[in-house]
Amino acid sequence: MYGYPGAAFADASGGRLGPDPKRTPDEPVTVTLAPGGSAWAGLRYANPEISGARTATPAALLVTPPDERKALKVRWKGGEVPVGGNASSVFLTVFSAGDGP
C-alpha cells in the first residue's frame, strides 16, 4: 500500500458527517504486507470541547484502502467528533506497518 486511506464519518443511515479528513503533510512510503499482516494510519482532531467546533457522534467510520473504491465500515466508538465551525479539521496520517503506535 502507498499513501493515505480515504476516511469519512457517517451517521446511522450512512450519510456523511462533516468534511472528509485532511491529509497531514507526511511523506508517503510504500508499506508491503505479508499475508495476515496489518497497517495503520492515524486520525487526529482537536477536542471539540476545547476547540468550540460543532460536533456529531458518528455511527461509523468509512475507511477506503488506497486504490480501492469500496469503503470498509467500522463502528465508531470514539464519541463526538468535530464536523464544522471553529478549529474543526480532522487529519489523517500516512500508512505505517503494524498495529498502531
Side-chain angles (χ1 to χ4, degrees), residues 4-48:
Y4 299 83
F9 294 112
D11 61 21
S13 65
R16 290 193 176 200
L17 299 171
D20 289 345
K22 297 177 182 180
R23 294 176 172 182
T24 60
D26 302 326
E27 186 66 33
V29 296
T30 299
V31 175
T32 302
L33 300 176
S38 62
W40 66 278
L43 180 69
R44 68 175 170 82
Y45 51 87
N47 181 327

Side-chain angles (χ1 to χ4, degrees), residues 20-75:
D20 289 345
K22 297 177 182 180
R23 294 176 172 182
T24 60
D26 302 326
E27 186 66 33
V29 296
T30 299
V31 175
T32 302
L33 300 176
S38 62
W40 66 278
L43 180 69
R44 68 175 170 82
Y45 51 87
N47 181 327
E49 291 180 19
I50 295 170
S51 70
R54 276 187 310 111
T55 63
T57 302
L61 178 65
L62 306 176
V63 180
T64 308
D67 299 322
E68 296 291 329
R69 294 183 186 264
K70 184 172 170 93
L72 306 169
K73 186 176 180 179
V74 180
R75 194 173 106 199

